[in-house]
Each structure stands twice: as structure tokens, then as C-alpha cells.
Amino acid sequence: MAQAEAYRSAAANAENQWYQRQNELSAQRQQAEQERRNNLTPEQREAEDARNASFKLFACGVVSVIVSFAIGVSLINTEHPAGIVFGVLFILAAVAIVFFMCYICSKS
């Protein structure tokens, strides 16, 4: 019984040390990233921010296309006339989002 408790205590201690080390590594990464950003010129920082924003826009567009297409297909599968009409509209919206994403990506 005492040996089992010692094993549990040692496991809990090792787990706590692992989490503490992960927190330390995360803090070091954040500090290094902050130092790297501080060393950038304003133009470089602006370019990096624009790249990050365009990536986020692209990711949101991909999610929007997937959701719109899925809703459209599920509405078409209802075989109700209104469901088919709205399903086609959702699929057309997904196509429009793809074209908009292409347009935005070609501009940047």
C-alpha cells in the first residue's frame, strides 16, 4: 500500500515537472517571438501582419465554402422544392466565396 502511494506521488511529481517545463518553454518561445518582432522594421512588421491577415481570411473562406456546400447539399437532399432552391443558392454562395477568395489573393 505504501509503495503504491509512493508510485502515485512520484507520478504526480513527474507530471507537475513536465507541465512546469512546458510552461517555461512556452514563455521562452513567446519571448523570442516578441524579440524577433521588435527587431523588424515597420515595413517588415506591416508585411508580416498583412500575410497573417490574408492567411486568416483564406482560412475563414475555406471554412465558409465547406459549410455553405454542406448546407446546400443537405438542403437539396430534402427533395422539397424550397429545399432544392435554397440548396442551390447555398452552393452558388460557396462558388461566389471561392471567386472572392481568388480575387483577394490575386490582389495581395
Side-chain angles (χ1 to χ4, degrees):
M1 194 66 124
Q3 189 176 11
E5 184 61 36
Y7 284 142
R8 273 191 229 109
S9 176
N13 189 23
E15 184 179 15
N16 287 338
Q17 288 177 351
W18 184 84
Y19 280 117
Q20 183 178 13
R21 179 67 179 145
Q22 295 305 310
N23 289 337
E24 290 170 0
L25 291 173
S26 177
Q28 288 174 357
R29 280 192 297 272
Q30 289 175 350
Q31 183 179 4
E33 177 64 19
Q34 186 63 38
E35 289 174 4
R36 186 192 66 78
R37 270 194 66 79
N38 287 342
N39 291 334
L40 295 176
T41 65
E43 294 83 15
Q44 290 172 326
R45 200 172 302 130
E46 185 178 324
E48 184 175 326
D49 291 342
R51 276 192 305 274
N52 290 340
S54 66
F55 175 75
K56 289 176 184 176
L57 179 67
F58 182 77
C60 289
V62 168
V63 170
S64 299
V65 166
I66 292 170
V67 169
S68 295
F69 189 77
I71 291 172
V73 168
S74 66
L75 284 172
I76 289 173
N77 285 339
T78 62
E79 296 180 3
H80 188 276
I84 292 172
V85 169
F86 282 109
V88 170
L89 289 176
F90 269 94
I91 290 175
L92 289 175
V95 172
I97 293 169
V98 169
F99 283 121
F100 179 71
M101 287 170 37
C102 291
Y103 173 74
I104 293 295
C105 289
S106 69
K107 287 293 195 181
S108 44

